[in-house]
Each structure stands twice: as C-alpha cells, then as structure tokens.
Amino acid sequence: MIKTIIGAQWGDEGKGKVTDYLAEDSNLVVRSQGGNNAGHTIVVDGKKHKLHLLPSGILRKNMINVIGNGVVVNPDVLLRELDNLGDVRGQLFISDRAHIIMPYHTLLDGGEESSKGNSKIGTTGNGIGPCYSDKASRLGVRMGDLLDDATILERLNKALPRNKALLSHYGVENDLTVDVLFDMCKSWRNKLKDMITDTSLLINNHIVDGANVLLEGAQGVHIDIEYGTYPFVTSSSPTTSGAALGSGIAPNKISEVVGVTKAYLTRVGSGPFPTELEDDIGELIRDKGQEFGTTTGRPRRCGWLDLVMLELSNRICGFTSLAIMKLDILSDLEEVKVCVAYKDSKGSEVKHFPSSLSYLADCSPVYKTFPGWSSSEVDISKGIIPEEMKNFLDFVSGSLELPISIVSLGPGREETIIFQ
Ligand code: GDP
Ligand code: IMO
Ligand code: MG
C-alpha cells in the first residue's frame, strides 16, 4: 500500500505531524521533492523535533527512510541533522540521482533575491531555486557523481564557470574554486557513500515484498512551480505527480492521497493571499498557532480557510481524504469564516483559482460564516467534538466531496482523531 501526504495550501499545514502519525503503519518513509526549505515539526512525548531534510520517519526505530531523486540535498545540512539524531545508519538511503545544493547555489539565492528589491519572492535562502535551475540546465552535480573523482571534476568544471559569472552579475563575492569544491565533495563522499543508492529500485523492491510506503510531501500545492501563484512559488512540484516522479514510483501504484490543510490558512514569503487577515484575528491566530517559520523563524501571514484553493489542490492531486489540522487554534472564536468563492470587480463569481495574479488581485473573497466552538466541549480521548466544529468540518468535506480521515487538535501524536 502506498500513501502520499500532500500539503494542500502554501506549506506548513502540519505534514510532519501527519507523516509521523501514519508512519506507525509504514515500513518506508520517502521524501520526493524540495530540500531544506522544508521545516517539519514533530512533537513526540512533549519533545519537539524539527526536521528539514530527513524524512519524518527517522524518529521511529526500524523504519527505512529515503531521500528520493526529486529532492535537492545540501550535504552539510544533512550531516548536521544526522549528527543530532545519533546512529541512524542502515535507516537512511539517498538517491544517486538527487541533485546537490552547492555553496554557489546558496550564495546565488541571496544574490538573486537582493537584486529583486520590492518584488522579492521571500525564498528560504537555501539555494533551492538555483539548484533546480542547474538541474534543468543540465549543469547539476548529483549524489551519485560523488562516488567517482573524474565525474566530480567533470561536473564542477562545467557548472562553476556559469555560476561564478552569475554571482559576479549579482555582485556576490566568493572565493570558490574547483579545488575547494572538489575537496568538499570528497569529504561528503567519505561520510555519505554507504547511503547513496538507486532508491527507486530499493523502494520498488520493498513494494514487491508487500511493504507499506509513505510518501512525505514537502511544501504545498499553491507554491508548486506549475500550479502555484507563479512567480511566488518554490522550484519543485509538491503534488501527487511530483511525489511519484520524485521517488521513482509508478503513479498508478499510489492508492491513498491525504490532502493536509489547516482549518485556516498561512503563508510565508511574498505573493497573493486573498483571505489574509491583517487585523486582530490574524494576530490572534499567529500568536496562538505559533505561526512562525520552522526554517526561517519568519512570522507567517494568517487568514481564513480558502476552498477555492483547495478545489485546485484536489483537482490536480486527486485526494482520497483530507487531514484537517489545528482546529484547536480556532476554538473559542465568536465566529469562523470559510471562503467559498471569489468575486471580481465586475461582480462575476469566481469558483476556480485563476493563474493571473493581476486578475486574482481584482478578486475578493466570498465568505460563509460559522458560529465558533468552545474548547471546553472537546474530548479527544473519547473522539468528542462540539456540534459547531462538526458543522464546520461537514461543510468543508461536503464542498470538496471528500471524506475527512484525520482531525488534529494539538501538536502531539495523542491530540488526533482518526476517522476510518
Ligand atoms: P509542515 O511543514 O507541514 O510539516 O508543518 P510545520 O511543522 O512547518 O508547521 C505546523 C506546526 O503546527 C508545527 O509546529 C506542528 O507541531 C504544529 N501542529 C500540527 N498540528 C497541530 C494541531 O492540530 N494543533 C496545534 N496547535 N499545532 C499543530
Ligand atoms: P514545508 O515543507 C512554507 C516558500 C518560501 C518562499 C517560496 C520559495 O515546511 O511546508 P524556496 O526557498 O523554496 O525557493 O522559497 O516557497 N516555501 C515554503 N513555505 N513551507 C515550506 O515547506 C516552504 N518551502 C518553501 O517561503 O515563499
Ligand atoms: Mg513547515
């Protein structure tokens, strides 16, 4: 059985918690795209773990964790995360096809952003975009390249001149040379070589043996390079298709797709946000929900749940159920709103998320308002939730014609209600 977890919004939906929860019934957990721009927080027995590159299954013993071919890997970040975890050798495999984030990519990310002035994307600054650019330009260095000196040198000799030219274009000083980078690559090889393998083959062999595989999404559909609010997007595809390709699994082998959404909405970085709350309620959600980036610490922008966005996410990802997170944060509000459509300035109703950002800016949200619910009426251990919360969930489920499989009412594993 292969399950995929997809962020249905702009990232930070709580995918880490859902992955950790569902990992209990899995044998392998796989990351398929993105890199250390991801920040997944998992709370186990009250202890917080923040993972950026390692799959969230790494916190469970006897679980095989895979960094798939679609991921971009910063080996220094990976080694630091591994150092913090003790001995997980034999538990982690990295695709030989995964591309490496080189120091020049991280520098370029900063240079490109600085050059944009007011139209910054607000990237995480981790070199994600420049690394995927080199991949598409066929100038990347892959994890498998590390295994052979001649290949490393050949790849570096091709990639460095163009990257140095770009850095100088953006006025970013550096003393990177092929020799310096070659030494770095050899040091990474010494520490990581036993983990580098053909992970598509590894995963598929386990599938043949009957393993349960969990594909842990990173980012969210609305920062997808194709369907996100371009250009305010990341450089990979956080979709079901991206998960299949980025792990080397045939799409028709995926049987469950869990779309993860907060009961409200957040965004880090720039870009449109039709339901953004720039008022006291937005601030209350940010404070109560601790909405500050796991990776960068930036305050997250907060707003009401947007069903127009979720319709697009479901359309291209084929969710089989929804996980609705952080309902506890909306508890004790007088009323809760859900955006059901947009209206443009000519008064036309818009039901489908537009690709044009200027048209989107001309749209305003149409809300359905629900009475709030009281936290005192929640009893997670007995699966009891207030009637008002039930109405809210039924409306979301009915509107998207999707069952809800998980309701989350707190960061811990035990603060979860599962619907079969
Ligand atoms: P991810 O990137 O999708 O894995 O999400 P993040 O880890 O960046 O952000 C989600 C945050 O919400 C984390 O700090 C989680 O511990 C926390 N969280 C997840 N589910 C819940 C929930 O139901 N209630 C509350 N209060 N916190 C939650
Ligand atoms: P998780 O997995 C939220 C956003 C950045 C920026 C844009 C491009 O924790 O949900 P990048 O560094 O990828 O080039 O930045 O994408 N972004 C995320 N926002 N959660 C994430 O990951 C994100 N990964 C990238 O804030 O707006
Ligand atoms: Mg996150």
Side-chain angles (χ1 to χ4, degrees), residues 371-383:
W373 52 82
S374 161
S375 52
S376 64
E377 290 174 37
V378 177
D379 186 341
I380 302 173
S381 61
K382 296 200 177 101

Side-chain angles (χ1 to χ4, degrees), residues 16 25 44 56 98 179 201 316 321 349:
D25 301 324
V44 185
S56 298
D179 285 349
L201 204 54
I316 63 167
S321 71
E349 194 179 55

Side-chain angles (χ1 to χ4, degrees), residues 10-13 15 37-40 121-125 128-129 218-219 223 233-234 268-269 298:
W10 278 306
D12 300 326
E13 297 88 351
K15 300 174 293 293
N37 47 350
H40 297 178
I121 288 164
T123 72
T124 59
I128 306 293
Q219 287 76 53
I223 47 174
V233 294
T234 189
V268 234
R298 290 178 290 177

Side-chain angles (χ1 to χ4, degrees), residues 66-111:
V66 175
I67 295 181
N69 53 277
V71 176
V72 285
V73 179
N74 180 327
D76 286 329
V77 171
L78 178 62
L79 288 164
R80 266 202 304 277
E81 276 193 23
L82 284 171
D83 277 351
N84 290 337
L85 277 174
D87 191 6
V88 291
R89 255 169 304 180
Q91 257 186 277
L92 178 70
F93 297 92
I94 308 162
S95 168
D96 50 6
R97 290 177 169 86
H99 281 245
I100 299 176
I101 300 179
M102 292 300 227
Y104 44 79
H105 292 139
T106 317
L107 290 172
L108 253 184
D109 199 349

Side-chain angles (χ1 to χ4, degrees), residues 11-17 38-43 48 219 262 288-291 294 300 324-329 408-411 415:
D12 300 326
E13 297 88 351
K15 300 174 293 293
K17 170 172 169 169
H40 297 178
T41 315
I42 295 144
V43 180
K48 220 180 226 190
Q219 287 76 53
K262 281 174 181 160
K288 194 171 169 194
Q290 285 296 295
E291 295 296 357
T294 310
R300 294 174 182 153
I324 306 204
M325 316 300 286
K326 299 193 104 165
L327 276 147
D328 53 314
I329 303 305
S408 175
L409 293 146
E415 293 165 302

